[in-house]
Amino acid sequence: MTAAIEFLDVSRVYGEVHAVDRVSLTVQAGEFFAMLGPSGSGKTTCLRLIAGFETPDTGSVLLNGRDVTDDPPYARDVNTVFQDYALFPHMSVLENVAYGPRVRGQRKDDWRRRAHEMLELVQLGHFAQRRPSQLSGGQRQRVSLARALINQPRVLLLDEPLGALDLKLREEMQIELKNLQRRLGITFVFVTHDQGEALSMADRVAVFNRGRIEQLDTPRTLYTRPATAFVARFVGGANVVAGELAQRLSGRAEPFAVRAENIRLRAPAAPADANSMSCLGDVADVQYHGAMSRWQVQLESGEVFAAALPDVSSNGDFKIGARVRLEWSRADAVPLTAAE
Amino acid sequence: MRALSTFLYRRPNFYVLLLLIPPLLWFGTVYLGSLFTLLAQSMYAIDEFTAKVVYEPTLATYKQVVTQPANVDIILRTLSMAIAVTIACGLIALPIANYMVRYASARGRALLYVGVMLPMWMSYLVKVYAWRLILAKQGILSWMLDTVGLGAGLDAVLRIPGIGGPSLSSSYIGMFIVFVYMWLPFMILPLAAALEKVPESLLQASADLGARPVQTFRTVTLPLALPGLAAGSVFTFSLTLGDYIIPSVVGAPGYFIGMMVYQQQGTAGNIPLAAAFSVVPIVLIMVYLTLAKRAGAFDAL
Amino acid sequence: MRYRRRRWNEASLGARLAAYAVLAFMHLPVLVIVLYAFTTADRTYEFPPPGLTLHWFEAAFARSDIWAAMRLSLSVAAVATVFAIILGSLTALGMARGSFRGKESITVLLVLPIALPGIITGIALLAAIKSAHLDPGFWTIVAGHATFCIVIVYNNVVARLRRLPHSWIEASMDLGADGWQTFRHIVLPQTASALLAGGMLAFALSFDEIIVTLFTAGHDRTLPIWFFNELFRPRERPITNVVAVVVMIVTFVPILLAYRLTRRGSE
């Protein structure tokens, strides 16, 4: 089956900086695909390479099997929802939404009708004659969605679309977007720096770091089996154990990761378990997060471990300054390929 | 159409070249070409006997400009006027700019800004002419001074050599007043912009530490406003240096650089001398610009 | 009136007076001209004016030499403005974005006509005209004016273009519009006001231009040149005053409109 999007060894270089460093990836048709990473990791540049706002310095970009590397944005079957929505202020909401059909030469009656339909789809039917400046942030976002979808593109690109919304609105939009994608069946490519968003919405996530993809997997795999130290830390904030400590605890030199939720707190004198690794430390900080609490425990060797435990009364033994034994089963130690 | 658009999209440098060729062609031939011709002409000389231009490169004309006492007089006269005007504009601009920025209400400030910009929008020649009327023998200024009994004082001032003249409208002091009037907005606006950049908190801190308003102004505001003053002075200096209309209309008999240039190309037909003379302001302005840059003028612009 | 204690950061009465005195100084001369246009005295600059009349306006309108100069000024300004709009916009479009070799030099080149004193431009153009054995006339005047008019339009348009968010252009292309369509639907509507403002400024400045024009006009007389000559041959002074008022209005109004346009556009 032809992939919706394919990158073959794509690089984009600005002077000395490799914004995108020899990236290859495949996005399947109908997928909800997320590109996750910190600022400057290259995820937005990759999005722009798909859309056609940037041209790769090496490699090729394929859409539906066709090489579009040199094609301008208006020649690609891709539409974008911009981070700042990019609504045209000198046009009404209706004219904004109808822009695509209009510049492609459709007749006025046709594009007016279709634009009204799209506005109904995003529940903004009554706002057709308003100007973008008269709308709220959430409304503007829906207009830019309608404007992009009216062209029935094969692929919809979203550049951190929920960043400007408050928490409640963001959560609502996450559900709406997911439903929309399921209903329309088109490929969504979503850029975000929020790992919670990526994990909850995407079918597959590509984790970017310094212009490269460190891991491309389903959310569950990324979370339970991170491949590198960066992924382990970025997605879910796991503890990364490396160097001497790793050698001592696991018997091997390779670094490994342990999730905070998999760490148990024991009294220092508690007996060790053959199936577990353990080490001693002092509680440096405790944070209350409602259902769970997070402990920061500092080992003698200096490393700080995070342990997350449900809120039960026995935790009262482990106050700040107390000596504790950290324990986790060997199976929960995930080997990593690289530590930073 | 779309194919052409795509072709240009793929070649951004070619597209920019296409856009810039017509204007650059114009600028290159009309403007740069003229400047080079001017430079070239300044290196020729007039044969004294035939009064025709001798097309041989020589520095004789430049030598004439910088060594002949009459010419040196002209240059020094123009230079001193430019400096005097600059200082006067700076002194007058300070109180109004300071008031505009620090004390005026929001509406007052808008009014003052527009009020300062308005004269800049009015015809240059008309303004010069207006001053000729005001300074004339029976004009407003004379009438005002006579009414308050200072008429004799005016005559005394006019008799002072170096700044006086036959009448106000043909004296150095008259010229000085007109120059200051003309370039005042060019000094006020950059100065106001620089003063705006001085944070209010600094002035409050100064007052908090015990300084009176005048002291604060002298020790805090003024040094920080220096880039603005330097920027404004670039305008007043260069505009005065090159002007020939004002000296002609409201001028004392003594020549200024601009007048020399205008006159030499006209009746005398001595373009090389005119060209050489016109290079002098360029050099002086360049020198001034380097000084002004040190004082931070370019940051204020 | 009770004496109110002055706050520490409020201006003294003296400071306020000084500020407004300077402002008055800056405006009075023009008011004087307007007053003189109505005076009944015909030979002197007498103040106060012995009487007021509209007679000189009539006389001025009857003078054919004034009309000839006015026509020349208007046509020069119109042609120079057209050149300025076309070439200035092209320059702005090319320079608005991106970097390429020589961009800084071009920026310096575009500042020169305004930065160098007018007399330099004037004598340079004259030197070039004489070297090329051309006759000074309509087109030499236009050439001089158009040069700085181009810069004025360029400054206005490029400032507006640089404020245009690049995402709008990308969005337009993303939705299917090619470069030309994007220009027509997005760029042009947004920059129209800057273009208009620049054009009006250019017109006003060309109409009022005297410094360079005196060098490039030869025997032709624009209205400012007519005016300048009258200053030295006081034939009918009050008519000169009338012409001064007319020149002022013709140059002031476009600049005011341009200012309002630019203010509105930046909001």
Side-chain angles (χ1 to χ4, degrees), chain A residues 52 70-71 73-74, chain B residues 2 5-6 9-10:
Chain A
D70 288 318
D71 283 358
Y74 47 87
Chain B
R2 202 157 257 239
S5 198
T6 311
Y9 182 83
R10 291 199 179 124

Side-chain angles (χ1 to χ4, degrees), chain A residues 208-288:
Chain A
F208 279 80
N209 186 30
R210 296 196 224 189
R212 295 195 185 181
I213 297 182
E214 297 230 351
Q215 193 174 355
L216 205 176
D217 258 315
T218 62
R220 180 165 299 238
T221 314
L222 279 176
Y223 191 77
T224 55
R225 303 257 153 246
T228 69
F230 174 79
V231 175
R233 285 201 188 98
F234 195 78
V235 181
N239 298 295
V240 173
V241 185
E244 261 186 56
L245 190 58
Q247 178 76 45
R248 186 156 57 85
L249 290 174
S250 71
R252 288 196 306 274
E254 287 85 27
F256 63 87
V258 189
R259 293 254 156 236
E261 313 76 81
N262 293 332
I263 298 184
R264 301 178 290 270
L265 292 179
R266 285 273 139 84
D273 187 340
N275 288 329
S276 309
M277 301 182 198
S278 72
C279 48
L280 283 175
D282 301 305
V283 178
D285 196 20
V286 184
Q287 283 165 354
Y288 178 69

Side-chain angles (χ1 to χ4, degrees), chain A residues 12 51 65 94 104 121 127 133-134 187 210 234 237 257 270 282:
Chain A
R12 180 74 178 100
L94 189 78
R104 287 186 212 263
L121 187 70
F127 290 75
S133 56
Q134 297 169 301
T187 315
R210 296 196 224 189
F234 195 78
D282 301 305

Side-chain angles (χ1 to χ4, degrees), chain C residues 243-258:
Chain C
V243 174
V245 172
V246 170
V247 167
M248 225 184 50
I249 296 178
V250 175
T251 56
F252 182 75
V253 169
I255 297 184
L256 180 66
L257 291 176

